[in-house]
Amino acid sequence: MTQALARLLYLLAGLAGRLPWSWLMRLGDAIGAAWLRLDARESRVALCNLELAYPDLLPAQREQWRRQILRTTGRQMVETLRLWTRPHAQNLALIREQHGVELFDAAIRAGKGVIVAAPHHGNWELLNQWLASRTPLAILYRPPESPVGEAFLNLVRADAREADGSDRVTQIRAEGPAVRQLFKLLNGGGVTGILPDQQPKAGDGEFAPFFGVQALTMTLLGRLAERTGAAVLFAWCERIGTDHGAPVFALRIEAAPADVADRDPAVAVAALNATVERIARRDPAQYQWTYKRYTLRPPGSGEENPYWNR
């Protein structure tokens, strides 16, 4: 049953991905409007995050930002459906600007390993496809809780391998053996992509400010960089406009601050969060504010999960 449902979802995604871009964008806008009208989880979480991260916004401003976030998040969903089900070469044509590519190429040539920190800003699936077009890489991911969701993603990956005639992306589950795999990969000069703004499990991170609020933050990225000497680069694909109804993007790559690889985990996670925050502030509507970033609170703080009734 799981495989059958996954195949049905993939068929529907493929059909949606073949719609004209103008139709997809209207569909994304409709999804965002429905979330707002129905007071869906995405709408409630976005509002909670805005209250935490931007406490000085006036209520009318906060509501305007929430509408923009939900609209962009809806578009992100339908963009990704198309990116998953269309040829990668066609997808990469949506990238109209590239900044910092020379940093990426130089880091690969250095042969000391590369860690690409990819915040949830813009369209990270398009970034993954661009990275895979340049080099084999491993991507650390957290598997969906739903078995159907996991089976669906496996179909996406299998179809991508068949379409490209290669297997340039290795998916590594964010579980115990992942750390050893990543150390081995980086020590061999390989490339890995990590989403640095996912909340780790309790005990697997350090608290550091993120938009002025303490957030449990992964220490893995800093440990990998400090112990292997791998270069750390931040990368994202942000929307810069449309062309005949299709979204167009700018690829941006920049070197991480040295403190990201500091031996002191508190220093490393603070630098990590500060950089992600700076990127997210470029255009708050393009950041994933529908994610429950602040669920776990510092021990002894007396703070409650801010999303408990959201």
Side-chain angles (χ1 to χ4, degrees):
M1 179 62 72
T2 295
Q3 288 298 323
L5 287 174
R7 289 185 181 281
L8 176 60
L9 286 176
Y10 189 67
L11 174 62
L12 294 174
L15 293 174
R18 284 165 171 76
L19 293 173
W21 270 116
S22 59
W23 293 20
L24 284 173
M25 293 300 96
R26 285 197 290 270
L27 176 59
D29 293 349
I31 291 171
W35 284 335
L36 184 66
R37 184 173 60 255
L38 299 173
D39 195 30
R41 185 200 67 84
E42 290 80 3
S43 180
R44 299 193 304 271
V45 172
L47 179 59
C48 183
N49 279 330
L50 288 175
E51 290 170 349
L52 292 167
Y54 292 94
D56 296 333
L57 284 179
L58 295 174
Q61 290 176 304
R62 189 175 294 121
E63 187 60 28
Q64 180 183 8
W65 282 32
R66 174 163 64 157
R67 290 176 181 273
Q68 293 173 346
I69 288 167
L70 294 176
R71 178 173 180 265
T72 304
T73 304
R75 289 191 169 197
Q76 156 80 16
M77 286 181 58
V78 296
E79 285 170 4
T80 301
L81 286 179
R82 186 177 178 106
L83 294 173
W84 276 343
T85 57
R86 304 302 292 165
H88 288 189
Q90 186 180 107
N91 297 336
L92 295 176
L94 299 173
I95 299 177
R96 302 299 172 83
E97 297 180 13
Q98 298 188 21
H99 305 274
V101 175
E102 68 282 356
L103 296 175
F104 183 71
D105 292 341
I108 291 177
R109 287 196 302 270
K112 296 182 179 180
V114 183
I115 301 171
V116 178
H120 287 88
H121 183 79
N123 194 301
W124 45 97
E125 175 59 31
L126 185 58
L127 172 65
N128 288 343
Q129 293 186 12
W130 182 89
L131 292 170
S133 74
R134 308 284 290 200
T135 183
L137 76 153
I139 295 177
L140 183 69
Y141 80 104
R142 183 174 298 169
E145 295 181 2
S146 164
V148 175
E150 177 76 351
F152 171 79
L153 291 178
N154 286 335
L155 288 174
V156 171
R157 295 165 193 148
D159 190 59
R161 287 194 297 269
E162 183 177 346
D164 290 353
S166 64
D167 190 6
R168 296 171 66 84
V169 178
T170 301
Q171 300 279 348
I172 298 179
R173 296 168 68 99
E175 298 172 347
V179 176
R180 293 191 298 273
Q181 290 178 267
L182 291 176
F183 272 116
K184 181 178 180 180
L185 173 78
L186 293 170
N187 282 324
V191 180
T192 185
I194 296 178
L195 299 167
D197 46 357
Q198 282 190 326
Q199 180 177 250
K201 295 179 181 178
D204 287 348
E206 292 271 348
F207 281 91
F210 184 59
F211 283 85
V213 181
Q214 292 293 317
L216 187 63
T217 306
M218 67 164 58
T219 55
L220 174 61
L221 191 150
R223 295 204 319 269
L224 290 170
E226 191 268 325
R227 296 180 188 178
T228 67
V232 182
L233 301 174
F234 279 84
W236 66 98
C237 282
E238 64 184 10
R239 299 171 190 84
I240 57 173
T242 58
D243 182 10
H244 294 88
V248 292
F249 297 83
L251 168 75
R252 302 191 186 277
I253 300 173
E254 62 179 46
D259 282 352
V260 164
D262 196 275
R263 186 168 296 181
D264 183 343
V267 173
V269 296
L272 185 66
N273 278 357
T275 305
V276 174
E277 178 177 332
R278 178 175 54 78
I279 293 169
R281 287 185 183 275
R282 293 175 59 89
D283 182 357
Q286 294 199 45
Y287 190 68
Q288 193 187 31
W289 288 114
T290 56
Y291 176 65
K292 295 182 179 182
R293 182 68 177 87
Y294 303 107
T295 300
L296 298 176
R297 311 311 307 139
S301 68
E303 298 178 20
E304 296 182 349
N305 176 354
Y307 311 104
W308 73 269
N309 62 345
R310 306 272 183 143

